[in-house]
Amino acid sequence: MLINQLMNMPTGSPQIKKVMLVGLPNTGKSQVYNNLTGDYSVVANSPLTTLETKRARCRLAEQSYEVIDSPGLHSLYNPSEEELTVRDLILSEEIDILVQCMDACRLKQSLTLTAHLLTLGIPMVISLNSMDEIARKGISIDPVALSRLLGVQVVASVAVQGQGTEELKEAISRVEAGGPEIIPCGEKIEGWLAELGSKLPVEAPYKRAISLLVLLDDPLILDYVNKMYGPAAVNDLQQQVKLIKGNLRFNIGQVINQQRSRWLDRVAEEVTHRTKPQSHGFAQEFARLSRHPVFGIPILLVFLYSMFYVVVNVANVISEWMSDVLWMPVEAKISGLIPLGFWHDFLIGDYGILSMGLANALMTVLPILSVFFLVFNIIEDIGYLPNLSVLTKRLLGKLGLSGSAIIPLVLGFGCKTVATLSTKTLKSKKEKYIAVYLIAFAIPCAAQMGLNMSILGRIGLSAFVIVFSVLFVVEILVGMALNKILTKQGQGLVFIQELTAIRLPNLKGVLKKTYYRIYWFLKESLPVFLGAALALFVIDKLGVLTATKRLLNPLIEGFLGLPSAMTDAIILCLVRHEAAAGVMINLVKKGQLDYIQCIVAVTVTTMVVPCFANIMAMAKEVGGKQTLVMIILIVMSSFAIGGALRWTLVALL
Amino acid sequence: MRNRKREKEEHLERLWGMKEGEQEAVEYLEDSMKGDFDAQLVEELAEDGMVALSEGNRKIVLTESGEKEARRIIRAHRIAERLLHDVLGGEFETGACEFEHTVTSELVDSICILLGHPRTCPHGMAIPEGECCRRSERTTRNMVIPLTEAELNQSARIAYINCRDDMLLHRLDDLQVRPGIKVKLHQRYPCFVIECEGASIALDEDIVATICVWSQGPPVDRPKLELSPKEKKPRPWWSKGLMAGRKRHGKI
């Protein structure tokens, strides 16, 4: 009996169906993923947000599903590096259901991908997102007609608000096995596809898609065929292609493209209706101004200044208040209870686990980061950052960076680790090296930016302007130097970058993202803050810290002109920049850092060493040896620049 | 009796195609010409010094002068295809086949200038360069201009994309930058930004320069190919637009 039951159990885990989310970059895949699974994948109004696939389980109507979130995909043909991972995943994972996320505002572009996906023959559902935005533009899209024309279920939704989630879940659970209809390519080409398909093993899946890619001379599909079915199949296919193409009087790729274009023009025309005349919305006008060579710069400065203003006038005030009301009384109480000595120092001394660890993290850094992240997430949600790439294009060209390196650099202002990982899209080795170096060096990540603003805001706006001008100039000079030194290896990519549409921020999404950023900060950093305080306490008690300070004294005090207490902050930079910032804020409060010292201190700590996660990402992208070389160079040059800055300021002021 | 000159030209044209496909077998020529193959004519071509036969008359290649002649015919054919396809839309093969045998090189060059020196035919095959392309001749106002020279914020319909890089063409196609689609040039500095089908795209100047658009509004909305192919739309442009062009330029 038992054996019978076992025999009847199909192999693998068939109870769990695999649902993969695919779509063009920035079409709300991660948002839909979050809506479906209740898990959280970072959502931003920017391409290259999701770099790795993410998976989670969910249960709909008595059926378990594994939902896979994937990076953006334009087409199955000739994928870029990050698109290739998606294609490989689709071809190798036995996906049961594809959910294509479409941006209603980019219907035709999305339909191109649909045409590619339909060749796979995997059951599909379409989640048609941004229905609110398209309505605002005065265009209506008829999901029912679209569904009829494509032969797949189409769910209209506004993913950021969670609208359409229930309908999508229902649609997924309704999907039956068996592929959607195909778009015929014409008798002749269909014949060739069948001929090519017959060269693959009978049981091979996705024959049509693979044959089409082979026919189009996709540079990597034969590798896949080789891996799956061996060199004999590759040989057969190549022979067959030669036979077909020998007699050809046209470029197959272009003819197939033309057919697809006609198909999607027809589909788009049938499903879209203009409800009111096209008008230039405020958002579009704003996007245009933000890219304008003249108006773009003031807009950038306004964004920077408003962040600064909010950090200084809101975050710092909250932080002061928390420190005064929540921490001071506690400290006083402990001070009264425990006499001076070991335990006093352990809890609330210079390196006390409560003072330097807990209070630093929760009372000083946390409120500043919360407020800053809120502002930063709003700006990110507006979609402003990718538009910056237009303004910086020419400047970056001078640094030996082609246009495709722009988005990774801009992403660096969010998280340097993510930015470093996204340099994998760069094909030229030289470009990648320069981009990784520049990201690691003088670009402050969002957390650093917020805390730097908080520190410098206590001294004055001019300090902030000086520090950021210096960082900017340093970055440019380093880029130019690297461009000169490094020899060109590999071809730079042509630059074609879709810009994100500007939209009003979605408050719920922004709050949720801020919540997660703070949650991750606490989860990752709180133990680090406590551990670092403990470590410093131990080496202080052992006398090692004093010895180190004495050793570094000529550098810190002599060359940089900083108080020796700044050594703690620089050591903490090795562990976590936020912890160092907390220490510096306390030094400023106690009046131990003056105007020049503060500028030098912030400049040096911003550059000195990237955080641990960033270093790991660097090692992944350029290798361990190169990472080590970069870090040594970065550390040395940041001290050199700090010193030079100090002497310049002393001479000038 | 059929026109001998014309038949020779058909053979030369086919041989050019074989050269592009790296084929040299006479048998192949016979196959691909189907019923029109004429062994005696091939011999005449060899006598004229247009083709060279080898390996016991089994291999055939164009000689230098044959290549020159074939090049002229192919150029006329493909330019004609371009003209008929871009301007009139729809079926263009038959017209082009007639055209190639009747026009002079000068007329072909004039059309080439008018169209902004296209580099590929609608099938994506290369159009051999003419004298005019080498001199990059310009009339005072081309009908088709590179998008880099288009007016800012004016909708312009893409005529064709002067690019032989298949990968790049596919990428542009994925973004819906393709013939027949309306685009707008937003800005040139600090980086080119175009708007296409609701999306803004930033790209290199080199790529924008390959996108050729109708300079003064498209001639006509192309007939929809999925309507019944027989249903011909009136083509007011052909008489209006081209005549207007003729007046302005003095000649086409």
Side-chain angles (χ1 to χ4, degrees):
Chain A
M1 265 261 285
L2 189 68
I3 291 179
N4 258 344
Q5 274 178 359
L6 283 175
M7 294 283 281
N8 284 338
M9 286 250 291
T11 48
S13 50
Q15 291 89 351
I16 300 174
K17 285 192 177 174
K18 282 187 183 166
V19 177
M20 185 162 169
L21 300 170
V22 287
L24 300 179
N26 205 25
T27 46
K29 295 175 290 299
S30 297
Q31 187 68 56
V32 170
Y33 172 85
N34 295 345
N35 292 349
L36 283 178
T37 63
D39 196 5
Y40 189 76
S41 189
V42 173
V43 181
N45 187 5
S46 156
L48 296 182
T49 309
T50 306
L51 290 164
E52 318 266 309
T53 50
K54 217 167 179 276
R55 291 155 193 265
R57 294 276 168 86
C58 76
R59 213 174 157 75
L60 314 170
E62 302 302 303
Q63 168 73 47
S64 286
Y65 293 91
E66 182 178 61
V67 183
I68 307 171
D69 186 17
S70 66
L73 180 71
H74 277 107
S75 89
L76 293 176
Y77 171 74
N78 185 31
S80 65
E81 200 128 324
E82 78 274 15
E83 290 177 330
L84 185 64
T85 54
V86 185
R87 186 173 91 179
D88 282 349
L89 208 67
I90 297 175
L91 292 178
S92 61
E93 280 255 358
E94 294 179 27
I95 303 292
D96 294 294
I97 300 167
L98 279 176
V99 175
Q100 188 192 351
C101 294
M102 272 191 188
D103 175 355
C105 304
R106 289 185 288 157
L107 181 69
K108 281 195 183 179
Q109 291 90 328
S110 297
L111 281 172
T112 319
L113 178 62
T114 312
H116 279 278
L117 294 175
L118 286 174
T119 62
L120 290 162
I122 303 176
M124 253 174 86
V125 176
I126 286 173
S127 165
L128 188 61
N129 285 331
S130 302
M131 288 303 276
D132 54 337
E133 256 171 77
I134 193 88
R136 234 174 284 137
K137 283 188 178 173
I139 297 169
S140 78
I141 296 182
D142 180 359
V144 180
L146 188 60
S147 172
R148 179 171 43 79
L149 287 166
L150 298 178
V152 300
Q153 299 181 71
V154 177
V155 179
S157 62
V158 184
V160 282
Q161 292 168 16
Q163 283 175 24
T165 305
E166 288 313 310
E167 289 85 345
L168 182 62
K169 284 180 178 171
E170 243 169 68
I172 291 174
S173 58
R174 265 204 308 266
V175 166
E176 286 159 18
E181 283 173 50
I182 52 166
I183 308 161
C185 283
E187 209 177 303
K188 220 175 193 174
I189 294 175
E190 284 302 328
W192 292 333
L193 290 180
E195 281 169 21
L196 285 169
S198 69
K199 303 291 171 195
L200 290 166
V202 186
E203 72 285 358
Y206 318 128
K207 279 202 183 88
R208 189 181 152 85
I210 294 170
S211 307
L212 190 59
L213 291 172
V214 170
L215 195 60
L216 291 173
D217 277 332
D218 181 87
L220 294 161
I221 192 67
L222 289 177
D223 291 349
Y224 168 83
V225 174
N226 188 25
K227 202 177 82 193
M228 299 293 287
Y229 311 115
V234 174
N235 198 28
D236 283 355
L237 285 175
Q238 278 173 327
Q239 290 295 328
Q240 190 66 33
V241 169
K242 214 167 169 189
L243 213 66
I244 293 169
K245 293 214 172 156
N247 211 355
L248 217 55
R249 295 178 68 181
F250 58 87
N251 178 322
I252 290 192
Q254 286 194 30
V255 170
I256 291 177
N257 276 358
Q258 278 168 19
Q259 277 168 340
R260 193 183 51 217
S261 301
R262 261 178 249 145
W263 170 80
L264 66 91
D265 280 346
R266 196 190 72 216
V267 172
E269 192 169 324
E270 276 194 41
V271 301
T272 48
H273 304 282
R274 192 164 277 289
T275 50
K276 54 182 184 212
Q278 192 176 10
S279 60
H280 275 294
F282 167 75
Q284 242 178 323
E285 203 50 48
F286 178 77
R288 193 180 305 187
L289 286 175
S290 74
R291 298 189 293 251
H292 192 277
V294 177
F295 301 116
I297 292 163
I299 289 178
L300 173 63
L301 293 179
V302 165
F303 270 116
L304 271 177
Y305 182 73
S306 46
M307 285 197 275
F308 179 79
Y309 184 86
V310 172
V311 167
V312 172
N313 291 297
V314 180
N316 279 1
V317 172
I318 297 178
S319 158
E320 292 301 310
W321 179 84
M322 282 175 75
S323 170
D324 287 351
V325 174
L326 299 175
W327 172 241
M328 289 304 183
V330 177
E331 194 181 20
K333 205 152 219 164
I334 294 175
S335 214
L337 283 173
I338 301 172
L340 283 176
F342 181 85
W343 287 110
H344 182 274
D345 286 355
F346 176 76
L347 289 176
I348 55 170
D350 277 349
Y351 309 106
I353 197 156
L354 290 183
S355 53
M356 185 185 241
L358 201 63
N360 192 2
L362 296 185
M363 310 294 158
T364 311
V365 175
L366 182 67
I368 296 169
L369 282 188
S370 313
V371 172
F372 181 80
F373 278 149
L374 191 65
V375 180
F376 185 80
N377 290 344
I378 290 174
I379 293 174
E380 200 174 58
D381 207 50
I382 290 175
Y384 173 68
L385 291 180
N387 284 296
L388 258 185
S389 58
V390 175
L391 273 187
T392 45
K393 165 103 188 353
R394 264 172 215 246
L395 186 64
L396 292 182
K398 295 210 167 51
L399 311 186
L401 293 173
S402 71
S404 31
I406 294 171
I407 294 284
L409 280 191
V410 170
L411 287 178
F413 288 95
C415 172
K416 290 161 67 143
T417 308
V418 170
T420 307
L421 289 173
S422 74
T423 58
K424 73 168 157 221
T425 55
L426 304 178
K427 290 238 168 72
S428 144
K429 236 177 163 177
K430 173 183 175 180
E431 234 180 279
K432 191 166 173 174
Y433 189 92
I434 296 179
V436 168
Y437 193 102
L438 290 182
I439 292 167
F441 195 34
I443 291 183
C445 70
Q448 273 180 315
M449 178 83 109
L451 290 162
N452 283 351
M453 283 176 171
S454 164
I455 300 169
L456 296 167
R458 293 163 203 267
I459 305 278
L461 180 63
S462 61
F464 172 72
V465 173
I466 294 175
V467 170
F468 280 83
S469 317
V470 170
L471 292 176
F472 181 73
V473 171
V474 162
E475 197 76 349
I476 302 287
L477 291 178
V478 169
M480 280 159 73
L482 286 174
N483 188 23
K484 270 253 157 69
I485 298 164
L486 298 173
T487 47
K488 198 169 168 66
Q489 280 176 309
Q491 191 67 51
L493 286 174
V494 288
F495 175 59
I496 303 179
Q497 177 68 53
E498 273 183 284
L499 300 170
T500 46
I502 299 275
R503 63 167 192 226
L504 284 174
N506 172 268
L507 199 63
K508 206 171 127 201
V510 167
L511 287 175
K512 194 167 177 189
K513 186 152 70 168
T514 310
Y515 165 76
Y516 271 96
R517 284 210 159 132
I518 294 167
Y519 170 73
W520 287 329
F521 166 76
L522 286 178
K523 202 172 127 196
E524 280 172 29
S525 308
L526 197 55
V528 178
F529 271 67
L530 296 177
L534 191 63
L536 280 176
F537 177 76
V538 171
I539 63 171
D540 181 47
K541 284 287 168 209
L542 292 175
V544 180
L545 190 60
T546 327
T548 314
K549 280 185 184 172
R550 210 176 308 129
L551 192 71
L552 291 176
N553 192 40
L555 176 68
I556 304 292
E557 284 189 55
F559 185 58
L560 295 177
L562 298 173
S564 75
M566 263 306 291
T567 317
D568 301 339
I570 290 173
I571 293 173
L572 282 175
C573 275
L574 296 173
V575 193
R576 192 93 201 174
H577 278 260
E578 291 93 331
V583 169
M584 284 157 69
I585 289 175
N586 282 330
L587 287 177
V588 176
K589 275 198 219 164
K590 287 186 209 152
Q592 287 184 18
L593 286 176
D594 64 18
Y595 186 79
I596 294 180
Q597 285 175 326
C598 197
I599 291 175
V600 173
V602 172
T603 313
V604 171
T605 50
T606 303
M607 292 186 293
V608 72
V609 88
C611 75
F612 186 70
N614 190 4
I615 294 176
M616 296 318 283
M618 287 163 75
K620 193 173 165 197
E621 294 308 322
V622 295
K625 213 174 108 194
Q626 293 294 348
T627 306
L628 196 63
V629 173
M630 280 190 196
I631 290 174
I632 291 172
L633 283 174
I634 287 175
V635 171
M636 288 191 338
S637 46
S638 34
F639 284 122
I641 291 161
L645 178 62
R646 179 217 170 181
W647 292 109
T648 320
L649 288 175
V650 168
L652 288 176
L653 299 174
Chain B
M1 182 181 146
R2 289 189 61 185
N3 184 338
R4 205 69 181 157
K5 168 175 171 282
R6 189 184 160 136
E7 273 178 51
K8 275 186 187 171
E9 287 182 348
E10 294 283 355
H11 278 71
L12 289 174
E13 191 184 349
R14 201 57 221 112
L15 281 164
W16 177 277
M18 282 169 60
K19 198 181 126 229
E20 283 176 332
E22 289 168 14
Q23 296 283 349
E24 295 182 344
V26 174
E27 199 182 307
Y28 187 91
L29 177 68
E30 202 174 331
D31 265 3
S32 61
M33 297 280 300
K34 304 214 172 75
D36 295 335
F37 179 77
D38 185 335
Q40 200 196 334
L41 195 140
V42 171
E43 270 169 42
E44 276 175 39
L45 280 174
E47 278 166 29
D48 295 347
M50 292 284 191
V51 299
L53 291 157
S54 60
E55 289 183 27
N57 288 0
R58 268 181 303 154
K59 291 238 155 152
I60 182 165
V61 288
L62 289 166
T63 61
E64 204 175 312
S65 58
E67 200 174 307
K68 203 172 145 201
E69 182 65 6
R71 183 188 177 84
R72 183 187 64 76
I73 303 161
I74 287 286
R75 178 168 156 77
H77 181 95
R78 292 185 182 163
I79 285 276
E81 283 182 341
R82 199 74 265 179
L83 178 74
L84 296 176
H85 178 260
D86 293 346
V87 175
L88 303 173
E91 216 279 321
F92 47 83
E93 193 61 49
T94 339
C97 285
E98 291 300 318
F99 184 85
E100 70 195 36
H101 304 293
T102 50
V103 289
T104 61
S105 295
E106 289 76 25
L107 183 55
V108 171
D109 279 0
S110 301
I111 298 169
C112 184
I113 294 167
L114 178 79
L115 294 177
H117 309 287
R119 280 177 219 153
T120 57
C121 75
H123 302 100
M125 304 301 282
I127 299 176
E129 254 185 3
E131 195 49 41
C132 65
C133 308
R134 279 186 284 274
R135 289 199 307 263
S136 293
E137 228 169 78
R138 288 285 188 58
T139 51
T140 41
R141 194 153 173 215
N142 288 353
M143 297 295 292
V144 173
I145 55 170
L147 185 56
T148 40
E149 290 170 22
E151 263 179 68
L152 285 182
N153 299 318
Q154 289 285 324
S155 257
R157 198 180 288 271
I158 299 179
Y160 50 83
I161 296 171
N162 246 344
C163 171
R164 293 276 289 147
D165 178 350
D166 263 0
M167 307 279 175
L168 184 58
L169 273 176
H170 272 278
R171 241 178 113 191
L172 290 172
D173 199 87
D174 289 339
L175 294 169
Q176 293 299 308
V177 180
R178 58 176 163 89
I181 291 285
K182 276 187 182 172
V183 288
K184 244 185 222 178
L185 181 63
H186 268 317
Q187 64 186 87
R188 296 191 170 84
Y189 194 87
C191 168
F192 276 82
V193 176
I194 64 171
E195 187 191 311
C196 170
E197 290 291 329
S200 300
I201 308 167
L203 23 63
D204 281 330
E205 181 169 0
D206 311 354
I207 305 171
V208 185
T210 64
I211 302 171
C212 295
V213 296
W214 291 103
S215 66
Q216 37 199 307
V220 272
D221 273 308
R222 296 241 217 119
K224 302 255 157 31
L225 292 170
E226 51 284 347
L227 295 178
S228 85
K230 301 244 159 50
E231 190 183 317
K232 292 239 167 85
K233 289 212 169 171
R235 289 165 182 163
W237 177 82
W238 178 248
S239 46
K240 275 191 231 159
L242 198 62
M243 292 304 280
R246 188 192 293 256
K247 263 176 217 153
R248 215 176 28 247
H249 303 312
K251 67 162 194 174
I252 358 171

